[in-house]
């Protein structure tokens, strides 16, 4: 989460005595005796979901009952339950300050209602209400858990991470994958080129297919994988573009076949039968768009490979 976003979230959290977790961007804390956390419903609005974990005399909460509070306020839109977890959706306002003004009354309405109905703060997994119930982050996601359940979750996550960490990169399969992907990319360059479209899309297709191809068959993306995919992309963009032009040449001169056209293409350019600036301009465009497609795809692939999301107590 960036600083600006964190500062915005603080404007919501601090007036009601809650905190912001700067890893996952969750507003969390204890309000009227209930552990809760708030998540932005979507990034474009100031609408939040507020999450509780509750039991009533040790029993699971009932949807019909916890939902009744939705009628008490027009700012509480919805209520969904999943096991012990109860999630309300709050209506946001157009601005930060107007939303801040609405937040506390909504939380007061909900917590007063829950108290009146006899709901207790509880662990979201086992439903136990004891002093160890606290707010945790498990693999990057917030959760209200008791001490025991958190430890169990953490152990499960550790096993999973260890298994993922053990996956070995298979360079040969990855190279085959990148090559197969690049064939799709080259096909796009030729096909779109023949239809007279701008090379933009085909460059991006080339990048995504080659890198995804490596990742898919190689099982993992490393620096080596990036280098191999990049070399394959460089070569295949060149070949795809040259085939595209050769097809046009073969179509134009009826006595020239595709293979011959491909072979003599550099001579045709040198002797001025083809406009060099057009040929190389087009090639440069495909390279440019391959790079534009490759950079975010590589970043995403490397990030996915490294991601070991943390688990910790939020405080
Ligand atoms: Zn528990």
């Amino acid at each position: 989460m960036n600083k600006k976003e964190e500062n915005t979230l603080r404007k919501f959290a601090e007036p009601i005595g809650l905190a912001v977790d700067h890893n996952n961007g969750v507003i969390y804390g204890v309000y009227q005796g209930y552990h809760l956390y708030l998540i932005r419903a979507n990034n474009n609005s100031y609408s939040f979901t507020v999450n509780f974990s509750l039991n009533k005399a040790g029993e699971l909460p009932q949807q019909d009952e916890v939902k009744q509070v939705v009628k008490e306020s027009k700012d509480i839109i919805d209520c969904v339950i999943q096991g012990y977890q109860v999630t309300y959706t709050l209506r946001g306002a157009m601005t930060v300050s107007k939303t801040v003004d609405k937040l506390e009354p909504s939380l007061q309405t909900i917590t007063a209602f829950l108290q009146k109905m006899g709901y207790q703060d509880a662990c979201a997994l086992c439903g136990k209400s004891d002093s160890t119930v606290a707010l945790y982050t498990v693999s990057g996601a917030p959760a209200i858990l008791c001490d025991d359940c958190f430890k169990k979750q953490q152990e499960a996550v550790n096993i999973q991470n260890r298994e993922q960490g053990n996956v070995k990169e298979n360079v040969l399969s990855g190279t085959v994958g990148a090559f197969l992907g690049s064939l799709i990319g080259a096909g796009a360059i030729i096909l779109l080129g023949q239809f007279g479209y701008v090379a933009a899309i085909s460059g991006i297709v080339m990048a995504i297919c080659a890198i995804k191809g490596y990742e898919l068959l190689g099982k993992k993306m490393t620096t080596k994988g990036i280098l191999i995919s990049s070399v394959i992309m460089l070569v295949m963009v060149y070949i795809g573009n040259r085939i595209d032009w050769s097809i046009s040449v073969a179509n134009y001169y009826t006595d020239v076949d595709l293979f011959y056209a491909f072979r003599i293409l550099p001579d045709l350019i040198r002797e001025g039968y083809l406009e060099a600036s057009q040929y190389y301009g087009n090639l440069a465009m495909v390279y440019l768009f391959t790079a534009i497609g490759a950079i975010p795809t590589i970043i995403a692939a490397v990030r996915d490979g490294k991601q070991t999301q943390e688990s910790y107590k939020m405080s």
Side-chain angles (χ1 to χ4, degrees):
M1 191 180 46
N2 63 44
K3 256 278 123 347
K4 188 170 164 263
E5 209 180 316
E6 192 176 338
N7 285 336
T8 307
L9 289 175
R10 281 194 202 292
K11 286 184 197 147
F12 297 113
E14 278 161 6
I16 41 180
L18 302 177
V20 176
D21 184 277
H22 68 94
N23 289 314
N24 56 19
V26 165
I27 295 175
Y28 69 94
V30 180
Y31 191 85
Q32 301 290 328
Y34 293 101
H35 284 92
L36 55 82
Y37 56 88
L38 282 83
I39 301 175
R40 281 277 282 275
N42 70 60
N43 283 328
N44 300 319
S45 79
Y46 296 123
S47 167
F48 285 94
T49 63
V50 49
N51 301 265
F52 294 88
S53 178
L54 307 163
N55 77 36
K56 187 174 181 175
E59 299 293 315
L60 282 164
Q62 295 302 312
Q63 173 97 37
D64 308 345
E65 201 170 77
V66 287
K67 205 170 184 159
Q68 284 168 21
V69 72
V70 174
K71 289 194 218 95
E72 289 185 23
S73 164
K74 67 174 173 43
D75 290 329
I76 305 164
I77 314 170
D78 195 16
C79 167
V80 178
I81 74 168
Q82 199 179 16
Y84 294 100
Q85 200 178 317
V86 180
T87 304
Y88 294 97
T89 306
L90 306 182
R91 193 189 300 279
M94 294 295 282
T95 63
V96 173
S97 65
K98 287 207 173 97
T99 308
V100 171
D101 291 343
K102 289 164 81 158
L103 211 49
E104 175 140 44
S106 297
L107 290 184
Q108 257 164 6
T109 307
I110 295 170
T111 50
F113 167 81
L114 293 174
Q115 267 155 2
K116 188 182 75 187
M117 302 305 282
Y119 281 98
Q120 277 185 298
D121 201 30
C123 167
L125 281 181
C126 67
K128 196 167 67 180
S129 289
D130 69 16
S131 61
T132 70
V133 171
L135 284 142
Y136 291 95
T137 290
V138 179
S139 284
I144 299 165
L145 298 173
C146 72
D147 195 31
D148 289 343
C149 287
F150 174 67
K151 279 179 185 149
K152 276 183 212 152
Q153 288 281 298
Q154 204 176 20
E155 187 48 39
V157 168
N158 283 343
I159 291 168
Q160 208 182 2
N161 284 346
R162 229 173 292 142
E163 280 168 1
Q164 276 171 359
N166 283 341
V167 174
K168 289 255 184 302
E169 179 186 25
N170 187 329
V171 178
L172 186 66
S173 304
T175 306
V176 171
F179 178 71
L180 293 177
S182 77
L183 288 180
I184 300 173
I189 292 172
I190 296 165
L191 202 64
L192 292 177
Q194 286 302 308
F195 283 115
Y197 288 114
V198 191
I201 310 162
S202 48
I204 292 170
V205 170
M206 168 64 81
I208 293 172
C209 291
I211 294 163
K212 286 280 159 206
Y214 189 97
E215 210 186 355
L216 207 66
L217 297 192
K219 302 281 178 236
K220 213 175 195 177
M221 193 48 138
T222 59
T223 316
K224 202 186 273 172
I226 294 167
L227 283 174
I228 292 171
S229 315
S230 301
V231 171
I232 290 175
M233 282 188 273
L234 283 173
V235 175
M236 292 302 279
V237 165
Y238 178 80
I239 293 176
N241 190 59
R242 190 159 157 179
I243 293 175
D244 173 27
W245 280 70
S246 305
I247 292 172
S248 302
V249 168
N251 284 341
Y252 189 78
Y253 300 102
T254 41
D255 54 337
V256 174
D257 70 14
L258 176 61
F259 297 100
Y260 186 60
F262 186 85
R263 205 151 45 98
I264 63 164
L265 202 76
D267 302 325
L268 293 176
I269 294 167
R270 202 175 321 116
E271 285 160 23
Y273 289 104
L274 293 174
E275 194 73 56
S277 64
Q278 246 182 34
Y279 178 83
Y280 289 111
N282 194 63
L283 185 60
M285 282 287 281
V286 191
Y287 275 127
L288 175 70
F289 280 99
T290 305
I292 290 173
I295 291 162
T297 314
I298 289 172
I299 292 171
V302 171
R303 197 181 37 212
D304 285 352
K306 275 189 188 157
Q307 212 160 42
T308 45
Q309 289 196 319
E310 288 173 89
S311 301
Y312 52 90
K313 188 171 184 173
M314 296 199 283
S315 59

